[in-house]
Amino acid sequence: MAEFGENNKSAVGPPVAGWKAASGAGGISPETPVSNGNCSVPNTVKRLQNQSSCESPTWESPGSDSASKAIPRRSSLIKDGTRAGRDRKKTVSFSSSLSEKKISSAADCIHSMVEGIELKKIRTNSRVYQRYYLLDAGLQALCWEPSKKESDKARISLASIREVRTGRNTETFRTSGVYEQISEDSAFSIIYGEMYESLDLVANSAEVANIWVTGLRYLMQYGKHALDMLSSSQDSLRLDWLEQLFCTAADSDDLEEDEEGIRLQLAIKLIRNVNPGVGSSKVEHRFKELQRFSSNKEYLDTKDLMRFLEAEQGMAQVSEETSLKLIHSHEPSEEGRQQGYLSLDGFTSYLTSAECHLFDREHDGVCQDMTQPLSHYYISSSHNTYLIEDQFRGPSDISGYIRALKMGCRCVEVDVWDGPDGDPVNGNCGFVLRPAIMRQEVSYFSADTRDTVPGVSPQLLHVKVISGQNLPKPRGSGAKGDVVDPYVYVEIHGIPADCTERRTRTVTQNGDNPVFDESFEFQINLPELAMVRFVVLDDDFIGDEFIGQYTIPLECLQPGYRHVPLQSLTGEELPHAKLFVHVALTNRRGGGKPHKRGLSVRKARKRRNYAALRDLGVRAVDEVFKMAAPPLKDATDLRENMQNSVAVFRDLCGVSVAANLMQCVLALGSRVSGPDGAPLLLFDLRDHYPALEPQGPLPDVLRRVVSTYEMMVQASRAVIELSDGIYDRILHIQTMAMEFHEKLQSLAEKEGLRGRKVSRALESFSWNITILKGQADLLKHAQAEVQENMKQVHDAALTGNLTKERIGVKRVRSQTRRGQDD
């Protein structure tokens, strides 16, 4: 491969060597073990075998990232695409040794773990210990130094590991005094031993944590055969596919008899067909990267894909036939399609397909009630429609109207233009139904509110910005050439209480595949009016320049792993430019940080906040509203008892606050096996509320899981059985109160109220009516939540083979999640 340097001036280019046979300079045979620089596992293992089993190599700290600080709210993009009011001090970032090595497979992860790295160990007493962790020479144990323990005690056998858990999701983390200072993405825990002990660790970065989680899970799956798996790269689906791809091209290339391989320009064309977003020059300069594509038999079978589609992507009614259909659509290798395996490349194809778009395709068409009065809708409007560029000096053209109408505008500014009539196309009827609180006859709501909305339960939006792909350089920039230093803003637009923004770190000199790996959480007080905007900017000393953006209504988001197609400032899609994100919506802050251990001071139990009604000063009306206090209290207790029990069960399952119950049960299934491999817990699905039954003696942690699950089922059953009666009582009181609506002002005056007191009485009446209607709606939502939760438990038990009797048991139809056919 040495002949493909920058000095090569051949128009056609010499042949690319070695997909049939390795060439001298850089060719790699398919039989050669995968390597990462000089870190191949066989060489590393040989080197470590000459040392003591836990000898610590020389380690130099790459430096820890500074704590992220909240960035004050600023205006959005100005017309030239830059940000105004920059108050962030420019800094220069130095790459560490980690970023200089490509980590692209489980083999690379294990190579890194054998070399070792320094991690922080969190203890229950809130102490933090710096330790050097590495895998031993035979990949049989995890050990650490320095430690006061004897060497045989400062180690954990890989065979004893039951689970590798991501995030701050153990009791040790939650009760630690440094909980808030730990990044969710950099934390992970190793659950091991008969007593389910936990080793809780924090890495210097999310990338390091991902390396250890991936490597440990790979070793747990393959055990002592991991070394064989690492060295048998010829069995890789990806390598087989690429070899077939290049061999086919070689057969069609017109080479001399003594030449092997394919010509460079044909190879570049071949790679660009696989990945259209990468530039030809980058392929030419980095072509040697292609020879490192082997990924050591890393693939998903039909059952793995089923679990992913149900637990992560929120799909319902998923079967193995559904998985096979996706595999046949996205798997590039013939072998993978025949055997029902989805390789890394096929999985990437699926994640970047229309099926994994961030936008919910159900909203492509009209999906709201369009029969209500016109005043109940927002109307999509356009100002200065005829201007197609700058709103002050830009040219005017009829294309501005065409674009606005196709984007759904129904109110445009017309000066005097002649043009053909035509109906617009992309479901964009131009009318958006207002939130329910704005459509009611009596409602207490202000669009300028900076607080929670009465009667509306806030939602938590969890966004993880994972990576970007094919980010172009900013339009019109030339100072840095092709170099891009991207970072991402996630903005929330809506009522003032919801408006906020968070930003990722800057990834230097990488527009092809920058990895951000940062998580954010936003409280959304009025979800129906919230918009989520992703903005990608180029970090520059002179002024950050606009790369791309995408804006989407919160209610149009699809949960799970999704790609975000980037657009220009005027809404045109940027070819192949994407962000890769994970999105989840929850209804409350799950988990939380319990009281610290060892404190002798007894803290008072936090009191529950109940919806409070206001006195009007009008006796007859106040007497009616006083009747609502007991049912409102009962409604709040029912709803919060259920949600709190779900949160406690989620904590014991060791998943993040953004996880649903299907993910909880599937995570639980990985750690309930007894010594003989038989499950210690199974679900009985014959009842509407699945029962979790022990199959023998249980360790303490699993007994807690069973009792917590029973409490959750009991609270869920109460919601279903008691909600209807409470709901009817609340609505009956609301109806009685509304009988005073028309004559409320005269009643207030008869009670002696004057001036501002009358206005205050009318305002309090609106507040109370809004609270009653809102609490009744929340109770109905809680019923639907319980039904969905039980459905997820039911389906997860089937998917995870945790059922007592599978014969005659079918999947339950989801009320909120859509299947593949939907």
Side-chain angles (χ1 to χ4, degrees):
M1 305 295 283
E3 62 266 35
F4 305 134
E6 295 181 1
N7 295 328
N8 188 347
K9 298 181 181 179
S10 172
V12 178
V16 175
W19 281 97
K20 291 185 176 178
S23 67
I28 298 180
S29 166
E31 286 76 27
T32 304
V34 176
S35 67
N36 183 16
N38 294 323
C39 298
S40 64
V41 163
N43 293 336
T44 307
V45 171
K46 290 178 183 177
R47 174 166 53 82
L48 290 180
Q49 285 174 342
N50 296 327
Q51 305 173 0
S52 63
S53 61
C54 289
E55 183 175 347
S56 174
T58 304
W59 180 84
E60 182 177 351
S61 173
S64 59
D65 297 334
S66 60
S68 58
K69 297 182 179 179
I71 299 177
R73 176 71 183 168
R74 298 188 297 276
S75 62
S76 189
L77 296 176
I78 61 177
K79 293 181 175 59
D80 62 356
T82 61
R83 280 186 175 258
R86 292 183 56 81
D87 55 359
R88 182 170 55 88
K89 185 178 180 180
K90 285 291 182 179
T91 59
V92 178
S93 63
F94 296 90
S95 63
S96 66
S97 59
L98 173 66
S99 62
E100 294 168 1
K101 295 180 180 179
K102 284 269 187 172
I103 303 294
S104 58
S105 68
D108 294 340
C109 295
I110 294 176
H111 298 164
S112 178
M113 293 164 63
V114 170
E115 292 188 339
I117 199 168
E118 196 161 282
L119 303 172
K120 297 180 179 68
K121 179 180 179 181
I122 309 299
R123 298 294 298 271
T124 53
N125 56 8
S126 298
R127 292 183 180 178
V128 181
Y129 299 90
Q130 200 89 356
R131 297 284 185 265
Y132 195 90
Y133 290 82
L134 71 162
L135 293 179
D136 71 353
L139 306 187
Q140 298 298 311
L142 170 68
C143 49
W144 56 91
E145 286 191 353
S147 174
K148 295 181 180 178
K149 296 181 180 179
E150 299 177 5
S151 60
D152 61 331
K153 293 183 179 180
R155 58 192 287 120
I156 295 175
S157 168
L158 295 184
S160 69
I161 296 179
R162 292 179 171 269
E163 178 191 2
V164 180
R165 187 178 299 178
T166 58
R168 305 166 296 177
N169 294 309
T170 63
E171 187 175 0
T172 298
F173 271 126
R174 297 189 190 102
T175 58
S176 171
V178 295
Y179 177 87
E180 298 294 342
Q181 304 169 30
I182 299 172
S183 167
E184 177 78 11
D185 300 320
S186 299
F188 64 100
S189 302
I190 300 171
I191 313 300
Y192 65 97
E194 294 294 329
M195 302 304 295
Y196 293 81
E197 299 175 76
S198 69
L199 174 64
D200 302 284
L201 302 171
V202 179
N204 288 334
S205 67
E207 291 93 333
V208 174
N210 285 336
I211 288 172
W212 280 79
V213 170
T214 302
L216 287 171
R217 286 176 174 174
Y218 190 91
L219 291 169
M220 287 177 62
Q221 181 176 358
Y222 293 109
K224 63 181 181 180
H225 302 294
L227 281 174
D228 297 332
M229 299 299 299
L230 294 176
S231 61
S232 61
S233 61
Q234 69 271 17
D235 294 330
S236 168
L237 289 177
R238 169 181 272 186
L239 187 59
D240 290 343
W241 166 56
L242 288 173
E243 184 175 8
Q244 180 183 8
L245 204 64
F246 275 78
C247 286
T248 303
D251 293 339
S252 63
D253 198 5
D254 187 16
L255 294 175
E256 300 294 333
E257 291 185 0
D258 59 342
E259 293 180 321
E260 292 183 342
I262 62 175
R263 297 183 188 276
L264 177 61
Q265 297 305 318
L266 180 56
I268 293 174
K269 181 179 179 181
L270 199 62
I271 296 302
R272 293 205 68 215
N273 286 338
V274 175
N275 183 6
V278 66
S280 299
S281 60
K282 292 180 180 178
V283 176
E284 183 173 352
H285 291 313
R286 302 180 183 179
F287 198 83
K288 290 182 181 180
E289 293 283 337
L290 185 62
Q291 294 182 321
R292 299 181 58 255
F293 273 3
S294 174
S295 60
N296 308 305
K297 209 173 181 179
E298 294 169 347
Y299 53 77
L300 300 175
D301 59 24
T302 53
K303 291 185 178 179
D304 295 329
L305 189 54
M306 278 179 58
R307 292 188 181 96
F308 175 80
L309 295 175
E310 290 188 327
E312 294 293 345
Q313 303 300 83
M315 290 176 56
Q317 308 299 312
V318 180
S319 63
E320 291 195 51
E321 289 74 18
T322 305
S323 298
L324 278 174
K325 186 183 298 184
L326 285 176
I327 290 172
H328 290 156
S329 299
H330 297 286
E331 174 54 41
S333 69
E334 181 65 28
E335 179 187 356
R337 293 193 296 270
Q338 290 178 352
Q339 297 185 8
Y341 293 152
L342 189 67
S343 67
L344 181 61
D345 304 284
F347 191 52
T348 302
S349 173
Y350 165 69
L351 289 175
T352 55
S353 68
E355 295 159 286
C356 288
H357 197 294
L358 181 66
F359 185 83
D360 188 344
R361 292 302 175 190
E362 183 181 278
H363 294 263
D364 272 339
V366 177
C367 58
Q368 295 180 325
D369 180 8
M370 291 288 119
T371 63
Q372 299 198 25
L374 191 63
S375 60
H376 286 190
Y377 299 89
Y378 286 111
I379 301 177
S380 181
S381 305
S382 169
H383 175 63
N384 285 350
T385 313
Y386 45 84
L387 296 179
I388 59 174
E389 290 184 7
D390 188 272
Q391 291 289 295
F392 293 99
R393 299 179 300 274
S396 59
D397 192 90
I398 194 173
S399 62
Y401 290 96
I402 296 173
R403 184 176 65 188
L405 291 172
K406 284 186 175 181
M407 293 177 69
C409 286
R410 287 298 174 272
C411 180
V412 296
E413 182 177 345
V414 179
D415 281 8
V416 179
W417 286 88
D418 294 327
D421 295 332
D423 293 329
V425 178
N426 0 13
N428 284 342
C429 66
F431 299 89
V432 178
L433 193 63
R434 288 187 173 192
I437 196 172
M438 300 178 67
R439 305 195 307 266
Q440 296 167 9
E441 181 182 1
V442 176
S443 175
Y444 185 92
F445 173 75
S446 170
D448 296 324
T449 182
R450 299 182 181 275
D451 201 352
T452 56
V453 179
V456 177
S457 180
Q459 288 189 324
L460 270 294
L461 171 64
H462 309 264
V463 177
K464 183 172 186 177
V465 182
I466 301 173
S467 63
Q469 293 82 41
N470 306 314
L471 303 181
K473 66 177 183 179
R475 183 179 180 182
S477 71
K480 298 196 299 182
D482 289 334
V483 176
V484 177
D485 301 321
Y487 64 93
V488 181
Y489 265 99
V490 183
E491 302 174 346
I492 306 298
H493 298 270
I495 61 175
D498 292 339
C499 291
T500 187
E501 62 183 15
R502 299 285 299 278
R503 66 155 287 177
T504 68
R505 62 185 177 90
T506 297
V507 178
T508 58
Q509 301 185 10
N510 190 347
D512 294 333
N513 55 350
V515 176
F516 304 102
D517 228 0
E518 294 193 46
S519 300
F520 307 118
E521 183 180 280
F522 305 93
Q523 177 168 311
I524 312 296
N525 295 286
L526 189 56
E528 294 167 288
L529 286 187
M531 306 282 285
V532 184
R533 186 173 188 238
F534 299 87
V535 186
V536 185
L537 299 175
D538 182 18
D539 202 341
D540 188 77
F541 279 93
I542 300 175
D544 295 353
E545 296 183 280
F546 175 83
I547 294 178
Q549 62 90 28
Y550 185 79
T551 306
I552 182 173
L554 181 76
E555 294 196 324
C556 295
L557 287 174
Q558 288 202 98
Y561 289 96
R562 304 292 170 184
H563 70 265
V564 183
L566 295 178
Q567 300 175 345
S568 67
L569 280 173
T570 52
E572 290 84 11
E573 189 165 316
L574 302 176
H576 313 298
K578 296 181 175 69
L579 292 177
F580 185 51
V581 302
H582 184 271
V583 175
L585 274 171
T586 59
N587 62 357
R588 69 184 302 276
R589 293 184 185 272
K593 187 173 66 172
H595 65 278
K596 299 178 183 178
R597 292 180 174 179
L599 296 181
S600 58
V601 179
R602 181 176 298 178
K603 294 185 177 181
R605 184 178 179 181
K606 185 177 180 180
R607 297 183 61 184
R608 179 166 290 171
N609 292 323
Y610 294 101
L613 299 182
R614 298 176 178 176
D615 287 333
L616 279 69
V618 180
R619 186 178 306 172
V621 184
D622 287 338
E623 290 297 325
V624 173
F625 282 129
K626 286 180 181 178
M627 297 167 54
L632 286 179
K633 181 178 182 298
D634 293 342
T636 302
D637 287 340
L638 277 181
R639 186 164 42 86
E640 296 207 2
N641 286 345
M642 180 270 293
Q643 293 176 351
N644 287 339
S645 65
V646 171
V648 174
F649 180 68
R650 183 194 296 120
D651 288 348
L652 283 181
C653 290
V655 294
S656 70
V657 296
N660 55 40
L661 276 185
M662 173 167 280
Q663 293 167 323
C664 292
V665 174
L666 291 177
L668 185 65
S670 66
R671 70 186 80 128
V672 296
S673 297
D676 58 352
L680 297 175
L681 294 173
L682 288 176
F683 285 91
D684 186 343
L685 303 182
R686 290 175 295 182
D687 189 41
H688 179 69
Y689 303 93
L692 184 58
E693 299 180 354
Q695 304 301 301
L698 298 178
D700 182 63
V701 64
L702 292 184
R703 286 199 297 269
R704 290 170 57 197
V705 168
V706 173
S707 62
T708 302
Y709 177 81
E710 290 174 348
M711 291 175 57
M712 182 183 74
V713 170
Q714 182 179 356
S716 300
R717 189 189 296 269
V719 170
I720 296 296
E721 294 177 352
L722 303 178
S723 288
D724 288 339
I726 298 174
Y727 177 85
D728 291 340
R729 288 164 58 195
I730 293 175
L731 286 191
H732 177 67
I733 295 170
Q734 180 189 355
T735 302
M736 293 175 59
M738 284 298 293
E739 294 178 357
F740 295 100
H741 179 227
E742 298 294 337
K743 51 186 177 182
L744 183 59
Q745 184 163 349
S746 61
L747 289 175
E749 292 173 350
K750 288 181 180 179
E751 293 281 351
L753 303 182
R754 296 290 184 272
R756 294 185 63 182
K757 290 186 177 181
V758 175
S759 299
R760 197 171 300 164
L762 296 176
E763 182 180 290
S764 297
F765 182 85
S766 299
W767 168 275
N768 291 351
I769 293 295
T770 302
I771 291 293
L772 291 174
K773 181 65 168 62
Q775 292 298 312
D777 290 343
L778 290 178
L779 202 54
K780 282 296 183 184
H781 292 324
Q783 279 187 314
E785 184 178 346
V786 167
Q787 293 171 349
E788 177 63 21
N789 286 345
M790 294 300 104
K791 184 264 174 191
Q792 289 188 25
V793 172
H794 184 281
D795 285 357
L798 289 176
T799 301
N801 295 320
L802 293 175
T803 60
K804 293 184 65 175
E805 296 180 5
R806 296 180 59 89
I807 300 177
V809 178
K810 298 181 179 179
R811 293 177 180 270
V812 181
R813 182 68 177 177
S814 174
Q815 301 298 315
T816 59
R817 293 147 58 100
R818 297 196 310 282
Q820 174 74 6
D821 295 337
D822 298 331

